[in-house]
């Protein structure tokens, strides 16, 4: 790794995750990039910055290391690290959209994304419309009729695990003069690289699989167009919602093991999904790795594996005294009864989590066309022993 001409683009994903942007420190030889816990930098005369660093809102060497790594992993031109995933989304939309512009979002978008458009950006004149993005004809009609500035996609979606054909969606977006933005949080760049499939921009909550240890909040945007990079850099510096150096360092630390963790997440989730599919108390399972999933073949064509997220709907049943319990009541009971699956919001950590989307992560969609089923349970399947995880769910479901 001492040859400066050695191109990271020629290296495998696992090698890039460990080395891209993370050369040994030139002063001390430290293998792990330092945490530059500083706000300002000495200048050699007025305007004489060292390496372009003058103030850490604008740039910080630890954040630069993370951004270099993220750009390599997503095969982008440039990446930007933010204080949270929502900060990344907000900055991107305010960079690309103007009052009167419209964004097409998924009909099962993440609750936080819906809230941002519905409660915040709409007040500034940025409009949105939802469309079922698995129906490409419906997307094409909406794009032709409404001429959106952006088509905003998630795949797999949160929490219903719908799969969107990124190649087809990119063609529709570009034919209508729109840009395609893909939230790649659920898949991570290890499983899916949207820019290679035709997307223009990728967003992440780096809190999730990239960080991987439930100990850091962060977000990222990766672009392939130089003009978008320049514009986003300006907005990020002007508004200031940047990742701090310690958060950037923690995220880099997590990325080093991303490939190994994702392999285990996927293997465990596949086993959990198969168990749930055979359970008599489960109405339906949402996991693209199951052959019966409507997006299974598309997922196979654009993903390395199917991810660590599983959702399922619970059947209504009678209680021990013959009292009827609907699916929502049973779903909440299951969330309360698990021992290894921790009841909590978020996902993508090494530990398994369980939640009730309708009352937790997607409560903001209640009463809207994007409302999620109330009998739905979402699992973030961790990297524990899969037999233990299955036994925990079986005792919780009963």
């Amino acid at each position: 790794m001492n040859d400066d001409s050695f191109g990271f683009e020629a290296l495998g994903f696992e090698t890039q995750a460990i080395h891209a942007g993370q050369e040994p420190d030139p002063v001390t030889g430290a293998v792990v990039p330092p945490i530059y816990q500083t706000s300002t930098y000495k200048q050699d005369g007025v305007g004489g910055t060292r390496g372009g660093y003058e103030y850490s809102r604008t740039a910080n060497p630890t954040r630069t290391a993370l951004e270099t790594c993220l750009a390599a992993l997503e095969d982008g031109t440039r990446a930007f690290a933010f204080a949270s995933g929502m900060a990344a989304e907000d900055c991107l939309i305010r960079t690309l959209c103007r009052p009167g512009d419209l964004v097409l979002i998924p009909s099962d978008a993440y609750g936080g994304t819906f809230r941002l458009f519905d409660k915040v950006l709409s007040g500034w004149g940025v409009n949105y419309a939802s469309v079922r993005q698995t129906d490409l004809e419906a997307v094409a009609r909406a794009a032709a009729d409404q001429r959106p500035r952006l088509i905003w996609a998630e795949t797999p979606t949160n929490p219903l695990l719908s799969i969107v054909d990124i190649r087809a969606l990119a063609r529709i977006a570009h034919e209508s003069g729109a840009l395609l933005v893909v939230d790649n949080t659920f898949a991570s760049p290890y499983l899916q690289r949207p820019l290679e499939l035709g997307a223009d921009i990728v967003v992440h909550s780096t809190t999730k699989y990239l960080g991987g240890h439930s100990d850091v909040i962060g977000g990222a945007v990766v672009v392939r167009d130089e003009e978008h990079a320049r514009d986003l850099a300006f907005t990020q510096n002007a508004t200031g919602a940047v990742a701090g150096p310690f958060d950037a360092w923690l995220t880099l630390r997590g990325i080093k093991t991303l490939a190994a963790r994702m392999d285990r997440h996927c293997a465990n989730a596949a086993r959990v999904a198969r168990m749930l599919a055979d359970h008599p108390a489960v109405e339906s399972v949402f996991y693209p790795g199951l052959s019966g999933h409507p997006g299974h073949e598309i997922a196979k064509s654009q993903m390395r594996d199917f991810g660590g997220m599983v959702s399922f709907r619970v059947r209504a049943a009678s209680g021990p005294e013959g009292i009827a319990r609907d699916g929502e009541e049973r779903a909440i009971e299951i969330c309360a009864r698990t021992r290894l699956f921790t009841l909590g919001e978020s996902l993508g950590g090494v530990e398994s989590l369980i939640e009730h989307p309708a009352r937790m992560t997607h409560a903001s969609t209640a009463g809207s066309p994007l409302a999620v089923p109330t009998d739905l349970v979402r699992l973030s399947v961790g990297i524990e022993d899969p037999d233990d995880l299955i036994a925990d769910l079986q005792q919780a479901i009963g």
Side-chain angles (χ1 to χ4, degrees):
M1 303 301 298
N2 295 321
D3 183 357
D4 291 338
S5 65
F6 199 71
F8 283 109
E9 65 277 1
L11 302 177
F13 184 93
E14 293 87 345
T15 306
Q16 289 180 325
I18 294 170
H19 293 288
Q22 301 168 77
E23 291 291 322
D25 181 63
V27 177
T28 66
V31 172
V32 176
I35 302 171
Y36 285 88
Q37 194 66 50
T38 185
S39 60
T40 192
Y41 305 82
K42 181 184 184 301
Q43 298 190 17
D44 300 320
V46 176
T49 62
R50 302 182 188 184
Y53 295 104
E54 57 183 4
Y55 190 61
S56 278
R57 171 170 41 79
T58 306
N60 175 281
T62 313
R63 192 167 87 236
T64 298
L66 172 60
E67 292 170 340
T68 301
C69 185
L70 290 170
L73 296 185
E74 285 285 8
D75 195 26
T77 299
R78 190 169 172 188
F80 299 85
F82 290 84
S84 70
M86 297 313 305
E89 292 189 12
D90 179 58
C91 187
L92 175 64
I93 295 161
R94 286 195 285 164
T95 298
L96 297 178
C97 295
R98 296 293 178 267
D101 285 344
L102 179 132
V103 181
L104 283 181
I105 67 172
S107 59
D108 55 346
Y110 164 56
T113 299
F114 169 75
R115 182 176 57 229
L116 178 64
F117 281 105
D118 189 60
K119 299 295 191 293
V120 179
L121 295 170
S122 60
W124 297 93
V126 176
N127 304 307
Y128 75 93
S130 63
V131 61
R132 186 159 63 90
Q133 293 184 350
T134 54
D135 184 346
L136 293 173
E137 291 184 0
V139 178
R141 287 194 301 271
D145 293 343
Q146 302 187 59
R147 292 291 170 178
R149 172 62 174 144
L150 306 176
I151 295 181
W152 191 281
E154 299 173 18
T155 184
T157 61
N158 180 5
L160 294 176
L161 283 301
S162 298
I163 299 295
V164 175
D165 187 332
I166 296 174
R167 295 180 183 90
L169 210 58
R171 288 194 295 270
I172 292 170
H174 299 154
E175 287 170 0
S176 67
L179 298 172
L180 176 61
V181 179
V182 175
D183 184 336
N184 203 30
T185 298
F186 266 28
S188 86
Y190 179 63
L191 300 184
Q192 180 173 266
R193 306 232 286 190
L195 296 182
E196 293 182 351
L197 298 170
D200 299 287
I201 298 162
V202 171
V203 297
H204 282 279
S205 170
T206 58
T207 308
K208 311 306 193 297
Y209 286 109
L210 287 164
H213 293 78
S214 301
D215 56 8
V216 62
I217 297 289
V221 176
V222 186
V223 302
R224 63 177 182 179
D225 182 87
E226 291 282 2
E227 184 177 353
H228 294 156
R230 289 193 300 271
D231 293 345
L232 191 59
F234 179 86
T235 308
Q236 184 189 46
N237 183 52
T239 57
V242 297
F246 186 50
D247 291 342
W249 185 89
L250 282 172
T251 305
L252 267 177
R253 187 273 322 260
I255 288 173
K256 290 177 185 290
T257 60
L258 176 63
R261 287 186 287 105
M262 291 306 297
D263 284 340
R264 183 59 177 266
H265 283 298
C266 293
N268 283 3
R271 286 196 56 188
V272 166
R274 288 194 294 269
M275 180 277 291
L276 291 169
D278 293 334
H279 200 290
V282 173
E283 179 70 31
S284 55
V285 179
F286 303 88
Y287 183 66
L290 296 175
S291 59
H293 188 286
H296 178 69
E297 292 301 322
I298 297 173
K300 282 174 61 177
S301 74
Q302 64 188 27
M303 298 177 72
R304 184 195 300 253
D305 207 333
F306 302 106
M309 301 299 298
V310 180
S311 294
F312 63 99
R313 298 183 70 175
V314 184
R315 295 185 193 277
S318 296
E321 298 178 359
I323 301 173
R325 294 180 298 161
D326 63 19
E328 179 178 12
E329 187 177 354
R330 292 196 72 193
I332 293 170
E333 288 176 358
I334 291 167
C335 290
R337 292 178 61 181
T338 56
R339 298 163 183 163
L340 290 178
F341 281 83
T342 299
L343 178 63
E345 299 190 7
S346 198
L347 58 102
V350 293
E351 64 289 304
S352 295
L353 299 177
I354 188 169
E355 67 121 358
H356 185 254
R359 296 198 184 190
M360 295 173 69
T361 53
H362 290 69
S364 60
T365 67
S368 79
L370 278 72
V372 299
T374 58
D375 57 2
L376 187 76
V377 175
R378 191 190 75 179
L379 305 175
S380 174
V381 182
I383 64 173
E384 301 95 336
D385 186 306
D387 291 333
D388 294 335
L389 296 177
I390 288 171
D392 186 36
L393 287 171
Q394 288 173 330
Q395 67 80 27
I397 296 171

